[in-house]
Amino acid sequence: MAKPTANVPGKGVTFKISYQERPEFKGATAGFLFDSAGNLMEAAEVKDGRLSFARSEQEIGRSRLYIAPVPENLVKIEPSIKMMQRLGAFEPVVRVGGKLIDTILVPGIIIDHWPICFCWVRGRVVKTGSGRPVCGAKVHICEVDKVWRWILTLPEIEIFRLRDDLLEVLREPPIPRPPRPEPDPWPIKVDLIRGASVMGRGVRPATQRLSSATRMISSRLNPQPEVPSAKLSPQAALLSALPVQSQTALQSPSAQIVRQTLVDNVHLIIPYLCLWPWWWRFRCDEITVVTTDSLGRFQAIVPYLCAGDKPDLYFWVEYEIGGVLETVYHPPIACNTYWDYACGTEVTIHVNDDRVPACDDEPDLPGCVVQMLSIGHQVSMSEIHGPGATSADEGQTTDGRPFGGKLEPRVWFSRDCLRNVKNIKYYRWSYRRLTTGDGAALGTPGPWTPLTRTVVRHYAKPASGGGITHEPYVLGPQTIGAQTNLFEIKPSAVPAGGIEWTVVDEREDLASAHFMSHLLGSGATDCEKALDAAGKYELKLELFKQDGSLVDWTAEGIDPQVTNVPAPFGTGSVTAVSAPDYNRIKNAAGHTLAFRMVLRVDNNCCAATVAPVSGTGLTITPCGFIEYGPGATANLHFEAHHPNGFADFRFSVVRGVSTTVSAASASGKGGAASVATDDASHAYTLAPPSDYQESFAVMTLLGPCDRAAFSEALHVWARATDGYSRLSHLDDFAHDGFALSQPCPPCPPCECAE
């Protein structure tokens, strides 16, 4: 509130101010003069019981004078008549009989309500859907007229209509909980609501019931925190909770009695205001305008009477578009007022105007850091065997999976420090092969080969014909100076004409590089290529200055970090630690020149084969049945193959239609020397390289049957992952079947006719 000026005795008009009904009152007060249009003309402090204005007697006689408390720490908010009313200011009649009065007596009942409290209002403005903050938005904070004040101003005929609307919803069967402020601007056109449930303002029958369309609309709105003074209940419960005298009073033919009853039970009306567009007549008084910061946050202090309700707040938003402030969020007051706002709670405003950009889509990494997050979104750096791992495990995931397909390391750069402070603008990923597919070290590691697949980031841009397009911004590869295949560290600012950075394809917009591991090798088929190229691969990440010169990470004070929590990261905290020496490529001076990691790559195909049944005491008939004799055995054997053992298998034997033979079914890891059956009564043993077999008594397979048909199904699943999913296209499947039966008894001799 603007601070009043000190009075100037001997000039203008001076009033004596008396607090004789509350002589103990010693608070600071001031007088505020408003013209007939509600504009503030002058404000002056009350000093030594006197209030002086520079205005003339005639001007004051045509004005409205309010006397209100003014604590020293009252924020600078432009006073208005509505604010005076909300703060319980006293409006005296200053002209009597054509002359100004000499003394203004402030009633004790007014003074009793004068202590002023302050409400901390805070919130955020974000983009709908993404939730990213909107910076530099103008948030208008308004206080809505109290509903009870609005009820007091309604004409008599409207009082009865409001009463009928309230009774109508209270008597209906329970419907979805009445809506409170929605997070986005009103998603349904008012005309649609009116078409569904309103016959027209002024002619709507008082007994008209809410339609099913209106109920459906109500279910689309999100709730606001509870009104502190009223816990919502189903309609019938609310009606029954009314005192009998209130229920009777609502049926009264007296407009005054009904009006007072509605005022006394205003908490019943508030939840339904959003469902009654014909009552959308609220106005609000702007308290202040604040600007969102770099995180989309805003805050303000709002005064209110300590003895009264908390402020009823409404927010609307402007944003500068093309040099002009445009309204980008201004939903209906009735559906979006924070009634009895709980001071200090965060208000989140969702803006869905495509013209409004979000702040940078990812916050900058503090310090001067290059943080290695993950391969794809399912394997974090902490889930890759590295420092301290055995040679056999190195480069695999901690649950024993190799990598394959298109591999995408995700990296987070301290863009401001690297690009703006140290002039480090580019990076490059390279790889070299360290071992053969079985893990045996090569005599000499292969040459360093840069990754060259294009890397892009998308950004939103208004289309010439309307709407939005998502354009690619190519990070590389680029040639800078003598260096080739460099990629740009994504800039913070979007290209000219763009609105914001967007993620339209996770596998494109979050990858720092694309390691096409499935294209390595020189075989004629994909499986032959994979067999030729499997092994451990070392990847290195280097940084380059704007002129293409290689960066010494240690000399530049750059900290390479690795995540130390598992992926996918979800909604939890993601932490990282400085990379150990294992992940650093150093020069002779011990300076870090690059980050390194080792990945076990294996794109090999699986193979599944089920061999025909063999055994002792078995005879295969011309019709395909296998006849068994006493003590017969059946040998089951299958091939579950992966060249390097990175596969799992399931061998299922089913008798008849659906009875699994647990004694003959088994699951295991490819290459295991022995795999127990489901009931642990037998075990399949491996005959290298990948043939599993076991012998069973025929009666074990038959169970309670003396003859039966069997199916054998073998699934072999590749373990390799690309950081998003298991590479299922490398799987294989095989099946076979057989039937066991006792030999048919010999036919009796023929009896020939004599």
Side-chain angles (χ1 to χ4, degrees):
M1 183 181 294
K3 188 175 182 180
T5 59
N7 54 6
V8 183
K11 294 182 64 177
V13 175
T14 298
F15 296 96
K16 294 179 182 178
I17 306 299
S18 173
Y19 305 117
Q20 65 181 34
E21 292 189 9
R22 298 292 186 271
E24 69 281 3
F25 177 72
K26 303 298 181 184
T29 56
F32 299 86
L33 277 177
F34 296 88
D35 63 20
S36 58
N39 301 310
L40 180 67
M41 298 168 56
E42 187 178 352
E45 296 178 69
V46 176
K47 293 290 187 179
D48 300 322
R50 304 175 74 85
L51 175 62
S52 297
F53 292 108
R55 301 285 174 167
S56 68
E57 219 177 292
Q58 291 76 15
E59 288 178 297
I60 294 177
R62 295 192 300 266
S63 304
R64 301 181 66 176
L65 170 62
Y66 288 88
I67 298 174
V70 284
E72 287 297 324
N73 59 344
L74 190 62
V75 292
K76 292 186 177 181
I77 298 174
E78 189 66 25
S80 66
I81 289 178
K82 286 187 176 180
M83 178 179 290
M84 294 294 105
Q85 293 170 345
R86 287 197 305 272
L87 295 180
F90 174 53
E91 183 183 11
V93 176
V94 297
R95 184 186 289 274
V96 178
K99 295 183 179 181
L100 294 182
I101 62 175
D102 176 69
T103 301
I104 297 175
L105 175 64
V106 181
I109 193 173
I110 295 290
I111 299 173
D112 290 343
H113 290 83
W114 266 2
I116 291 180
C117 290
F118 297 93
C119 184
W120 177 39
V121 180
R122 67 187 185 97
R124 297 173 63 238
V125 179
V126 300
K127 288 282 287 183
T128 299
S130 68
R132 293 194 290 274
V134 175
C135 311
K138 303 292 184 183
V139 181
H140 296 253
I141 303 177
C142 307
E143 186 165 3
V144 179
D145 288 339
K146 296 294 183 184
V147 176
W148 63 266
R149 289 184 183 273
W150 168 70
I151 293 173
L152 291 176
T153 65
L154 289 177
E156 289 189 3
I157 189 172
E158 298 284 75
I159 283 296
F160 290 117
R161 287 178 175 174
L162 179 60
R163 182 270 311 274
D164 292 342
D165 283 339
L166 178 62
L167 291 177
E168 179 183 348
V169 296
L170 293 181
R171 286 169 176 161
E172 281 190 334
I175 63 175
R177 189 150 117 174
R180 312 311 276 297
E182 52 185 312
D184 299 311
W186 185 245
I188 307 297
K189 290 183 178 179
V190 173
D191 289 344
L192 172 61
I193 302 175
R194 288 178 174 156
S197 62
V198 186
M199 296 178 62
R201 178 176 168 182
V203 295
R204 179 181 51 81
T207 57
Q208 181 183 356
R209 298 173 65 85
L210 292 175
S211 70
S212 59
T214 301
R215 298 182 190 181
M216 176 192 71
I217 291 169
S218 74
S219 67
R220 297 188 55 173
L221 303 178
N222 294 328
Q224 180 202 334
E226 294 286 352
V227 177
S229 58
K231 181 73 173 179
L232 295 179
S233 307
Q235 292 90 321
L238 283 173
L239 183 59
S240 62
L242 276 175
V244 175
Q245 60 268 32
S246 294
Q247 297 185 41
T248 302
L250 284 176
Q251 305 293 341
S252 172
S254 167
Q256 184 55 37
I257 292 175
V258 173
R259 189 191 305 272
Q260 188 59 50
T261 305
L262 291 173
V263 168
D264 293 341
N265 295 280
V266 69
H267 62 280
L268 298 182
I269 299 172
I270 288 176
Y272 297 97
L273 289 174
C274 187
L275 296 181
W276 298 336
W278 52 90
W279 291 118
W280 290 0
R281 309 174 192 178
F282 292 98
R283 298 292 182 268
C284 63
D285 185 32
E286 188 167 287
I287 302 171
T288 188
V289 180
V290 291
T291 303
T292 58
D293 66 7
S294 60
L295 297 178
R297 301 173 301 180
F298 64 88
Q299 66 176 6
I301 301 295
V302 174
Y304 69 98
L305 284 175
C306 298
D309 295 332
K310 298 288 197 310
D312 298 329
L313 299 181
Y314 172 79
F315 305 84
W316 63 282
V317 181
E318 290 181 304
Y319 193 85
E320 186 173 322
I321 300 173
V324 179
L325 279 176
E326 298 272 2
T327 300
V328 295
Y329 176 87
H330 205 320
I333 294 176
C335 299
N336 294 272
T337 294
Y338 287 78
W339 304 104
D340 217 2
Y341 169 74
C343 298
T345 57
E346 185 173 80
V347 173
T348 302
I349 298 173
H350 295 253
V351 173
N352 61 11
D353 193 311
D354 290 334
R355 301 171 299 169
V356 178
C359 303
D360 188 26
D361 62 329
E362 55 185 12
D364 197 18
L365 189 58
C368 208
V369 175
V370 177
Q371 198 171 86
M372 316 300 161
L373 300 174
S374 61
I375 301 295
H377 82 280
Q378 287 191 341
V379 183
S380 80
M381 294 302 299
S382 68
E383 296 174 290
I384 302 174
H385 277 301
T390 64
S391 176
D393 290 336
E394 185 183 31
Q396 300 178 37
T397 65
T398 50
D399 57 357
R401 292 175 290 160
F403 292 90
K406 182 163 71 76
L407 303 175
E408 300 157 9
R410 293 187 180 181
V411 182
W412 190 10
F413 297 95
S414 293
R415 296 189 303 273
D416 181 63
C417 176
L418 295 175
R419 290 180 60 106
N420 302 331
V421 178
K422 298 183 179 296
N423 203 28
I424 299 171
K425 190 177 178 180
Y426 302 100
Y427 66 90
R428 180 171 63 200
W429 279 103
S430 305
Y431 70 90
R432 64 179 180 177
R433 192 181 184 192
L434 300 179
T435 74
T436 58
D438 60 2
L442 296 174
T444 302
W448 285 110
T449 303
L451 299 182
T452 59
R453 203 274 205 178
T454 300
V455 176
V456 302
R457 295 292 184 263
H458 284 90
Y459 64 95
K461 182 179 181 181
S464 57
I468 295 292
T469 63
H470 297 271
E471 301 295 330
Y473 178 86
V474 178
L475 300 182
Q478 304 180 41
T479 297
I480 306 296
Q483 299 291 344
T484 60
N485 298 304
L486 301 189
F487 293 79
E488 183 181 356
I489 297 172
K490 190 190 80 172
S492 297
V494 295
I499 298 175
E500 62 179 297
W501 294 108
T502 58
V503 177
V504 296
D505 186 329
E506 176 184 9
R507 301 203 62 168
E508 297 294 337
D509 293 305
L510 299 180
S512 66
H514 302 271
F515 181 23
M516 315 296 280
S517 75
H518 56 298
L519 301 182
L520 302 173
S522 57
T525 67
D526 287 344
C527 291
E528 289 175 350
K529 287 181 181 179
L531 186 62
D532 182 48
K536 295 180 188 177
Y537 284 79
E538 182 181 24
L539 277 72
K540 73 172 177 179
L541 174 65
E542 300 168 292
L543 299 177
F544 297 86
K545 294 274 191 175
Q546 188 168 356
D547 61 3
S549 57
L550 183 65
V551 171
D552 181 326
W553 295 39
T554 303
E556 294 286 353
I558 300 169
D559 183 22
Q561 295 183 351
V562 293
T563 50
N564 60 351
V565 293
F569 298 126
T571 59
S573 297
V574 181
T575 55
V577 295
S578 291
D581 284 347
Y582 172 87
N583 293 116
R584 299 170 185 257
I585 295 177
K586 297 184 176 183
N587 61 13
H591 287 201
T592 298
L593 298 184
F595 172 86
R596 74 178 288 270
M597 63 179 169
V598 175
L599 300 180
R600 184 71 177 266
V601 172
D602 201 313
N603 289 284
N604 276 296
C605 304
C606 299
T609 304
V610 178
V613 174
S614 61
T616 61
L618 302 179
T619 302
I620 301 178
T621 68
C623 295
F625 282 89
I626 299 176
E627 294 181 346
Y628 64 91
T633 62
N635 295 328
L636 306 184
H637 54 111
F638 57 88
E639 182 181 12
H641 179 67
H642 185 279
N644 299 307
F646 292 120
D648 298 290
F649 68 83
R650 170 67 181 171
F651 180 61
S652 298
V653 179
V654 175
R655 182 174 60 240
V657 177
S658 59
T659 302
T660 299
V661 182
S662 299
S665 300
S667 300
K669 181 180 183 298
S674 177
V675 179
T677 59
D678 290 352
D679 68 355
S681 63
H682 295 73
Y684 287 94
T685 55
L686 176 65
S690 54
D691 190 26
Y692 287 91
Q693 53 187 306
E694 173 62 338
S695 180
F696 301 88
V698 166
M699 301 312 295
T700 298
L701 300 178
L702 287 170
C705 307
D706 55 11
R707 60 179 178 173
F710 298 84
S711 69
E712 300 170 283
L714 174 63
H715 295 262
V716 183
W717 299 290
R719 287 192 167 194
T721 179
D722 62 359
Y724 290 90
S725 60
R726 191 180 61 80
L727 303 185
S728 58
H729 66 279
L730 303 178
D731 300 346
D732 200 13
F733 171 76
H735 62 90
D736 201 359
F738 62 94
L740 295 173
S741 176
Q742 292 178 328
C744 295
C747 297
C750 296
E751 296 181 2
C752 301
E754 292 277 338

